[in-house]
Amino acid sequence: ELCTLFYSPIAWLVLIIFTVQACMTYFRLVDIMLMQQFNKPLWYSIAKEMYTGNMGLFPNMLVHLYLYIPLLTMGLMSRELSSGSIKLLYSSPVSNLQIILGKYLAVVVYALLLCAILLGPVISTCFSIKAPDVPMMFTGILGVFLTILAYGAIGLFMSTITKYQVVAVVGTLAILAILNFIGGVGQEYDFVRDITYWLSISGRAKVFTNGMISTKDSLYFVLVIFMFLGLSVIKLQGER
């Protein structure tokens, strides 16, 4: 599945765009920090200023992830459904769970590649800044990784319910939009506010990008991943 993923130009294009975006953002932040140090030196962590907050590297990368991952996952199952090769999978000696996990494992490996790209700026920071906060930077990468995995699980589920890849992309974007904006619905009611808070995916990785591992946000990502993978298995079982 991973080989098939890289046979398409989309996987390479997403890698290139992600790398260019990370490098441009990092070099822009280095310029800003240099000018800041010449004009009015910071009294707090330069690394924290570069990687967190509204202008930081990790928040900037998270903003565009919802555009990249649906393109990556749109053909995971849709390709099998449209070409008819799904019948070969159904007749092969593998279970529905193994089929879904095999597809999802390719997404996990790809997510590791994207996070490996972010190690470049981190390594550069370690050599150019005195006493950088290394655990904070690696925690931020963990937040990016968990976000990619959650988006990947949602995209895989949408890919199982249609044989049209464009529909899978639009459906994934629609679910991500709902999960991002539902946190602002019914905030004047305590009961509704509690429900929408637990449904909302917006800002879940912010705690990680600020350098702290949050148990409740980690649990949220795990639940989202397992829920959409479980729905994908159920969908395959129904078709089979």
Side-chain angles (χ1 to χ4, degrees):
E1 184 61 33
L2 189 61
C3 290
T4 305
L5 191 65
F6 278 98
Y7 285 151
S8 70
I10 294 178
W12 295 103
L13 187 62
V14 170
L15 272 179
I16 293 171
I17 294 176
F18 189 85
T19 305
V20 171
Q21 181 193 354
C23 292
M24 290 181 63
T25 305
Y26 177 71
F27 290 134
R28 176 177 60 83
L29 290 169
V30 169
D31 267 347
I32 293 174
M33 288 300 104
L34 284 173
M35 293 177 62
Q36 179 73 23
Q37 289 302 98
F38 281 126
N39 296 328
K40 186 179 179 182
L42 294 175
W43 58 270
Y44 53 91
S45 172
I46 297 177
K48 181 178 181 181
E49 184 73 10
M50 290 180 64
Y51 286 92
T52 65
N54 295 327
M55 294 177 54
L57 176 64
F58 295 141
N60 270 280
M61 302 308 296
L62 285 170
V63 166
H64 300 91
L65 277 181
Y66 79 96
L67 294 175
Y68 302 153
I69 307 305
L71 295 175
L72 191 70
T73 60
M74 66 180 182
L76 288 177
M77 287 302 300
S78 299
R79 183 176 58 248
E80 310 282 0
L81 296 172
S82 61
S83 66
S85 59
I86 187 67
K87 296 177 182 178
L88 294 175
L89 281 177
Y90 285 156
S91 60
S92 61
V94 291
S95 65
N96 295 323
L97 178 61
Q98 289 171 327
I99 293 174
I100 293 300
L101 290 181
K103 300 283 185 182
Y104 189 66
L105 187 58
V107 178
V108 174
V109 175
Y110 194 88
L112 290 173
L113 289 176
L114 294 178
C115 291
I117 292 172
L118 295 179
L119 286 177
V122 170
I123 294 173
S124 175
T125 302
C126 291
F127 282 103
S128 57
I129 295 178
K130 183 179 180 181
D133 193 348
V134 177
M136 179 203 70
M137 293 186 284
F138 276 97
T139 304
I141 293 179
L142 175 62
V144 174
F145 180 67
L146 290 175
T147 304
I148 296 174
L149 294 188
Y151 287 0
I154 296 172
L156 176 57
F157 168 67
M158 293 306 301
S159 184
T160 61
I161 64 177
T162 177
K163 64 180 180 180
Y164 301 106
Q165 297 188 17
V166 175
V167 177
V169 171
V170 174
T172 305
L173 289 174
I175 291 181
L176 292 179
I178 292 172
L179 291 178
N180 271 287
F181 294 111
I182 198 172
V185 176
Q187 295 301 293
E188 62 273 17
Y189 306 106
D190 293 341
F191 177 71
V192 177
R193 184 168 62 245
D194 291 338
I195 294 177
T196 55
Y197 169 77
W198 282 107
L199 291 176
S200 176
I201 199 173
S202 177
R204 291 290 176 179
K206 187 176 181 180
V207 178
F208 291 89
T209 57
N210 285 333
M212 185 174 68
I213 297 177
S214 169
T215 305
K216 63 179 180 180
D217 292 325
S218 301
L219 181 62
Y220 175 85
F221 284 120
V222 172
L223 289 176
V224 166
I225 292 169
F226 275 91
M227 183 180 73
F228 281 98
L229 290 183
L231 290 174
S232 302
V233 173
I234 293 172
K235 178 64 171 62
L236 279 192
Q237 185 65 36
E239 292 287 335
R240 198 168 194 165

